[in-house]
């Protein structure tokens, strides 16, 4: 190669870099514009007549454009990948997901004109798969949920694409110090409430990103609020919280509550910022979900039931100790995605889930 040819080659490479950078700039602008068009999610006050000194609030994440808490995560993951120059105009984007994260990521991939493939367990609820396809995503199912990570890595290599890897990057993709993250939003909306600084914030853990963001924010802003993570009984997270040597569930264990709980400790799970974990049986999650749906007049998802069950335990403990104050938890998604599972009595019976007693108990607690 002559000096002249080498110079032309460098110039062409530079032009390609400029074009890729311009595409990235436009991609970030589109995502930020979409965010600017979105109002903040509503904070619902749920009065508790049995506990007049305690206020319970639900941060309604189902009102995001893609219908769940995972919309925030998907936005952050895309921005993180774009700003690290991991995604370009021809990149195929891959994710391993139980459904909701993939729905939201498919939304952002279509916004940017990118191919998106979701690697999901075969047991994922059909409405979630339909939602992924609605937003232009492709589905790759696996029979063993533990293989979603390896399959996602393989597809990324085969396509020359990028694996977003929510389970690794969730805790670092979101700015935990502010930038209107979910924790900052909660405290801004609580400012005029009777007990403006919550005693507790309760959330679940799927990747661990939400709990890491909230826990870090509480410490950064020096709030006295404590963080409780509600976790399905058949999840490794609460076991790892109690004993750091517990990192994997035995084969065959698993919860039916989609979106939270994992068989392995994910890289984004940060137990050191959590004050307490409460393990919740699937039957109690479903019963609480059903009771809350009756109270609100609209359906909610199973992970919201998990959160609510943990909240009521804390409410009962506060009341027994003569304490007053507030608790904030997350309404993670709507129940329409679970119409063929959690809201079908025959499906629950096939799974051996006896949820009626839990619904009655929660119904009394939130009356």
């Amino acid at each position: 190669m002559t000096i002249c040819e080498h110079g032309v080659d460098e110039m062409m490479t530079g032009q390609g870099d400029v074009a890729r950078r311009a595409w990235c700039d436009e991609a970030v602008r589109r995502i930020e514009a979409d965010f600017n068009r979105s109002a903040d999610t509503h904070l619902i006050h749920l009065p508790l007549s049995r506990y007049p000194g305690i206020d319970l609030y639900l941060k309604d994440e189902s009102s995001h454009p893609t219908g769940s808490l995972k919309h925030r995560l998907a936005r952050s993951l895309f921005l993180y990948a774009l700003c690290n120059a991991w995604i370009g105009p021809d990149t195929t984007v891959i994710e391993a997901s139980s459904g909701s994260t993939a729905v939201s990521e498919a939304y952002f991939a279509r916004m940017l004109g990118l191919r998106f493939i979701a690697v999901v367990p075969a047991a994922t609820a059909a409405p979630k798969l339909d939602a992924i396809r609605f937003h232009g995503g492709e589905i790759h199912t696996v029979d063993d949920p533990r293989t979603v990570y390896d399959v996602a890595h393989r597809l990324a290599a085969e396509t020359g694409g990028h694996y977003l890897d929510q389970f690794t990057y969730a805790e670092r993709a979101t700015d935990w110090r502010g930038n209107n993250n979910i924790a900052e939003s909660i405290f801004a909306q609580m400012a005029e409430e009777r007990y403006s600084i919550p005693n507790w914030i309760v959330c679940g853990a799927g990747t661990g990103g939400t709990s890491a963001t909230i826990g870090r924010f509480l410490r950064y802003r020096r709030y006295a609020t404590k963080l409780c993570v509600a976790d399905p009984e058949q999840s490794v997270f609460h076991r790892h919280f109690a004993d750091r040597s517990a990192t994997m569930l035995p084969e065959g264990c698993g919860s039916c509550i989609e979106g939270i709980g994992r068989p392995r400790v994910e890289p984004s799970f940060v137990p050191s910022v959590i004050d307490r974990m409460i393990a919740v049986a699937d039957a109690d999650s479903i019963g609480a979900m059903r009771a809350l749906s009756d109270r609100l007049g609209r359906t909610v998802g199973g992970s919201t039931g998990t959160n609510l069950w943990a909240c009521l335990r804390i409410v009962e403990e506060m009341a027994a100790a003569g304490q007053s104050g507030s608790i904030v938890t997350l309404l993670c998604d709507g129940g329409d995605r679970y119409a063929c599972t959690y809201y079908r009595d025959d499906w629950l019976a096939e799974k051996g889930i006896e949820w009626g007693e839990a619904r009655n108990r929660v119904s009394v607690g939130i009356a």
Side-chain angles (χ1 to χ4, degrees):
M1 177 181 290
T2 67
I3 293 176
C4 181
E5 287 173 332
H6 184 69
V8 170
D9 184 64
E10 283 186 338
M11 182 178 68
M12 292 178 66
T13 302
Q15 288 172 342
D17 289 344
V18 169
R20 186 180 176 94
R21 180 64 176 268
W23 180 88
C24 179
D25 290 347
E26 173 62 13
V28 171
R29 186 200 64 79
R30 291 185 185 185
I31 293 174
E32 291 296 276
D34 179 76
F35 174 73
N36 285 339
R37 292 192 297 269
S38 302
D40 202 353
T41 58
H42 196 67
L43 190 65
I44 301 170
H45 180 210
L46 196 70
L48 306 175
S49 60
R50 290 170 57 90
Y51 308 101
I54 302 173
D55 293 335
L56 178 61
Y57 299 85
L58 309 171
K59 179 70 166 162
D60 185 6
E61 295 293 287
S62 70
S63 59
H64 284 294
T66 53
S68 82
L69 168 67
K70 300 300 186 180
H71 193 85
R72 294 180 188 268
L73 173 59
R75 180 197 296 123
S76 295
L77 288 169
F78 265 90
L79 289 172
Y80 191 71
L82 286 165
C83 295
N84 279 305
W86 294 341
I87 293 178
D90 301 314
T91 304
T92 296
V93 181
I94 318 291
E95 183 61 285
S97 170
S98 63
S100 287
T101 302
V103 173
S104 300
E105 289 171 339
Y107 170 91
F108 286 106
R110 183 171 67 175
M111 179 187 297
L112 304 183
L114 300 175
R115 182 187 181 196
F116 177 75
I117 304 173
V119 181
V120 302
T124 301
K128 286 187 178 180
L129 303 182
D130 292 341
I132 294 169
R133 295 188 184 100
F134 174 80
H135 291 296
E138 303 171 31
I139 306 294
H140 186 103
T141 59
V142 297
D143 292 327
D144 184 349
R146 294 170 299 174
T147 66
V148 292
Y149 321 95
D150 292 339
V151 173
H153 277 295
R154 176 174 60 79
L155 289 175
E158 290 175 356
T159 62
H162 174 65
Y163 172 27
L164 286 169
D165 195 358
Q166 60 170 324
F167 298 107
T168 295
Y169 295 110
E171 58 89 10
R172 67 193 73 170
T174 300
D175 186 350
W176 48 269
R177 288 165 294 190
N179 194 23
N180 197 35
N181 66 38
I182 191 168
E184 185 175 56
S185 175
I186 286 171
F187 279 91
Q189 291 177 316
M190 286 291 293
E192 300 300 327
E193 299 302 313
R194 176 169 61 154
Y195 304 111
S196 59
I197 304 300
N199 296 54
W200 289 90
I201 294 178
V202 177
C203 70
T207 61
T210 299
S211 58
T213 297
I214 294 172
R216 289 166 172 163
F217 183 86
L218 295 176
R219 285 157 177 76
Y220 179 63
R221 293 294 180 92
R222 303 184 300 280
Y223 289 123
T225 304
K226 293 183 178 180
L227 173 63
C228 174
V229 171
D231 198 37
E233 281 187 346
Q234 297 302 319
S235 169
V236 74
F237 286 147
H238 66 88
R239 293 170 169 81
H240 182 71
F241 180 75
D243 176 5
R244 296 296 196 269
S245 69
T247 59
M248 186 78 70
L249 283 181
E251 185 175 354
C253 291
S255 169
C256 76
I257 306 302
E258 294 184 20
I260 58 172
R262 300 296 300 170
R264 73 171 198 182
V265 177
E266 304 296 350
S268 280
F269 181 67
V270 184
S272 57
V273 302
I274 298 168
D275 296 291
R276 178 181 183 181
M277 293 196 72
I278 295 178
V280 182
D282 285 357
D284 294 335
S285 294
I286 299 298
M289 173 201 77
R290 290 286 194 103
L292 182 60
S293 296
D294 292 341
R295 173 71 189 277
L296 294 178
R298 60 185 175 95
T299 58
V300 302
S303 58
T304 302
T306 310
N307 290 341
L308 180 61
W309 184 269
C311 285
L312 287 181
R313 276 197 47 186
I314 295 173
V315 167
E316 291 169 354
E317 291 169 4
M318 288 176 62
Q323 298 174 354
S324 58
S326 60
I327 301 169
V328 179
T329 192
L330 306 184
L331 195 166
C332 305
D333 60 2
D336 55 320
R337 294 176 178 176
Y338 311 98
C340 61
T341 54
Y342 304 153
Y343 287 94
R344 280 184 49 191
D345 293 352
D346 58 339
W347 185 89
L348 294 169
E350 289 173 7
K351 298 290 184 180
I353 298 175
E354 300 289 341
W355 52 273
E357 182 179 345
R359 181 179 68 173
N360 294 338
R361 178 178 171 182
V362 173
S363 295
V364 172
I366 63 175

